[in-house]
Amino acid sequence: NYQEIRTIASHADWVHSLAWSEDGARLASGSRDKSAKVYTAETGDLLASYAGHGAFVSGVAFVPGGLQVLSVGGDKKLHRWEVEAAKKVAEVATAGDAFQIVLGSEIAILPASDKLLHRIDLKNNQQTLTYQGHQDWVIRAAIHAGSNLVASGAYDGEVRVWNLADGTLLLSWSAVP
């Protein structure tokens, strides 16, 4: 049997995304209320509340090291902000609403409503590549650990596998009944 340990009630609307810090000590959340937050995982205490988005927040991720968080959503921007001060340190525009943040080695991959995957260089906070060819919203992505591959899935059921480094399409199929 499972029992509830605690309830954290600080978002004013649906929670769309969650991410653990590398050490497991903190948990980040993104909500339809246009905010992203960071909590102490053990107690649920609120550590930071970032309200810099102009629309829903659908993806959050800790930058390696855990001192900063990335968040994306309906405002068509990747926000990079400090946990301690909940202050924005960088912003990267995308052409579509982003749905997720997938971290690779010094990069972030953002699947988006503009039918693209956006590759963001985290050293320079710049978009460096878009993976093009989907015919519908790209809603999920996954990087294969130990290889140079990224997979993307679109709302229409198409799955594509790309060369992570240069965006070359390697394989695609339709995953619909």
Side-chain angles (χ1 to χ4, degrees), residues 102-104 141-151 161-162 164:
V102 181
L103 292 178
I143 295 174
H144 182 275
S147 76
N148 200 28
L149 303 175
V150 61
V161 178
W162 313 84
L164 181 62

Side-chain angles (χ1 to χ4, degrees), residues 28-44:
S29 61
S31 172
R32 195 169 82 164
D33 69 5
K34 304 177 186 176
S35 72
K37 298 177 186 270
V38 176
Y39 307 91
T40 302
E42 187 175 332
T43 64

Side-chain angles (χ1 to χ4, degrees), residues 6-19:
R6 79 185 42 81
T7 299
I8 301 170
S10 68
H11 279 295
D13 211 334
W14 299 347
V15 173
H16 286 286
S17 58
L18 296 166

Side-chain angles (χ1 to χ4, degrees), residues 6-7 26 33 51 63 72 80 90 94 105 115 117 136 160 169:
R6 79 185 42 81
T7 299
R26 287 167 291 151
D33 69 5
V63 174
V72 296
R80 184 174 186 157
T94 64
S105 179
K115 305 176 187 176
L117 279 180
D136 207 342
R160 289 177 167 238
L169 179 64

Side-chain angles (χ1 to χ4, degrees), residues 158-161 169-174:
E158 183 182 24
V159 175
R160 289 177 167 238
V161 178
L169 179 64
L170 303 173
L171 181 65
S172 69
W173 67 89
S174 186

Side-chain angles (χ1 to χ4, degrees), residues 23-176:
D23 62 5
R26 287 167 291 151
L27 190 63
S29 61
S31 172
R32 195 169 82 164
D33 69 5
K34 304 177 186 176
S35 72
K37 298 177 186 270
V38 176
Y39 307 91
T40 302
E42 187 175 332
T43 64
D45 292 338
L46 181 64
L47 296 175
S49 185
Y50 177 74
H53 284 275
F56 63 87
V57 178
S58 54
V60 291
F62 281 92
V63 174
L67 300 177
Q68 296 179 343
V69 171
L70 303 172
S71 52
V72 296
D75 63 357
K76 299 173 178 53
K77 298 173 186 171
L78 172 76
H79 295 246
R80 184 174 186 157
W81 50 279
E82 296 175 347
V83 173
E84 187 174 322
K87 178 183 174 187
K88 182 171 25 178
V89 295
E91 180 179 287
V92 181
T94 64
D97 300 344
F99 300 112
Q100 178 188 22
I101 301 170
V102 181
L103 292 178
S105 179
E106 299 178 349
I107 64 165
I109 300 290
L110 313 177
S113 65
D114 58 2
K115 305 176 187 176
L116 302 172
L117 279 180
H118 299 268
R119 179 181 164 148
I120 309 297
D121 175 344
L122 295 177
K123 278 187 167 182
N124 302 312
N125 299 309
Q126 294 178 341
Q127 182 168 271
T128 58
L129 186 62
T130 56
Y131 303 77
Q132 303 177 24
H134 276 289
Q135 301 302 306
D136 207 342
W137 291 8
V138 184
I139 54 175
R140 291 292 174 254
I143 295 174
H144 182 275
S147 76
N148 200 28
L149 303 175
V150 61
S152 57
Y155 196 69
D156 62 3
E158 183 182 24
V159 175
R160 289 177 167 238
V161 178
W162 313 84
N163 178 306
L164 181 62
D166 65 12
T168 302
L169 179 64
L170 303 173
L171 181 65
S172 69
W173 67 89
S174 186
V176 295

